[in-house]
Amino acid sequence: MIEYRDARPEDAPALTRMAADSFVETFGHLYRPQDLDSFLRDAFGPAGLPAQIGDPAYRIRVATDDGIIAGFAKMGPCGLPSPPVPDDAAELKQLYVLKPWQGAGIAQALMAWAIECARAGGAAHLVLSVYADNHRAQRFYARYGLAEIGAHPFMVGAQMDDDRIWSVAL
């Protein structure tokens, strides 16, 4: 049975492993090994995701299945360019679900949590960035009313990707 809760400091090793595994299984084939390693180190190393657990600027929700972290969502300070992002926006930084649990409703539950977090924080918009060729994620976000409003570069090591900025009014 899937359970949802806020991330705790003791989740750091399992959460960082899960996040890195999810990124690699989805996007790893797109990058040179040194660029992928650099990104994983920055995003999920000690100064990245683990340091954000418990930081009041971030909210991190995990989905567990029999104690295994199957997915997570992270809300945090909006770092996307304004404009096109409205000043009153909250950013969904990451929403990852490992492949064995995709289709189990985890992404939907985490998205509902992200929307509620944004509303509870007084945001009038929810924004996120998504890789231009990640059509599966784009279809998912469109079901929640998000639509593309712009683009920005997303760096994975030295490789610049084309990410699209999506937004929805809350």
Side-chain angles (χ1 to χ4, degrees), residues 153-169:
F154 183 84
M155 298 304 295
V156 176
Q159 181 173 323
M160 184 171 65
D161 281 346
D162 179 18
D163 266 27
R164 300 308 166 108
I165 302 169
W166 287 52
S167 178
V168 65

Side-chain angles (χ1 to χ4, degrees), residues 16 20 34-52 58 74 94 154-158:
T16 56
Q34 61 269 32
D35 289 329
L36 184 60
D37 290 345
S38 174
F39 174 80
L40 295 175
R41 188 173 43 258
D42 291 346
F44 308 124
L49 184 59
Q52 295 162 349
Y58 294 89
K74 179 176 76 175
Q94 294 164 323
F154 183 84
M155 298 304 295
V156 176

Side-chain angles (χ1 to χ4, degrees), residues 5 12 14-15 33 39-40 65 67-68 75 77 126 134 150 152-153 164:
R5 62 173 172 75
L15 181 56
F39 174 80
L40 295 175
D65 185 8
I68 298 169
M75 298 289 294
L126 177 67
N134 190 347
H152 81 104
R164 300 308 166 108

Side-chain angles (χ1 to χ4, degrees), residues 5-13 15 50 53-54 60-62 64 69:
R5 62 173 172 75
D6 290 342
R8 301 184 291 243
E10 60 267 21
D11 292 324
L15 181 56
I53 299 171
I60 302 170
R61 189 86 168 157
V62 296
T64 63
I69 298 176

